[in-house]
Amino acid sequence: MPIYEYECKACGHRLEKLQKISAEPLRDCPVCKAAELNRLISAAGFRLAGGGWYETDFKTGSKKNLAGDKGGQADKTPSKDGAAA
């Protein structure tokens, strides 16, 4: 669900609200109670985390930062048989 930003034209109060895309925009300001809230246009921010197409397919060499890795390198702890994992 996206986070939408709103601003009241009457009092200038700004707020963020987590809403479904299909939800109706808010109209009433929680501070001054006027029906003057407007949804603002803003850039959505997100990060692709964990293993997946971005982490595994489009990064090369030491730039890979896979989920669970420490410092961008694979875990090198020896297993029970003495070989590195």
Side-chain angles (χ1 to χ4, degrees), residues 23-36:
E24 289 292 319
L26 300 177
R27 296 285 176 229
D28 298 329
C29 177
V31 174
C32 71
K33 308 298 183 211
E36 296 288 330

Side-chain angles (χ1 to χ4, degrees), residues 8-59:
C8 179
K9 283 185 177 180
C11 69
H13 177 70
R14 293 182 84 158
L15 66 122
E16 294 179 342
K17 181 71 175 174
L18 182 68
Q19 292 180 290
K20 291 183 178 182
I21 293 174
S22 60
E24 289 292 319
L26 300 177
R27 296 285 176 229
D28 298 329
C29 177
V31 174
C32 71
K33 308 298 183 211
E36 296 288 330
L37 275 184
N38 283 340
R39 188 184 285 176
L40 303 176
I41 297 173
S42 59
F46 69 95
R47 182 182 189 286
L48 299 173
W53 66 270
Y54 176 76
E55 290 287 343
T56 57
D57 295 345
F58 294 102
K59 289 186 176 181

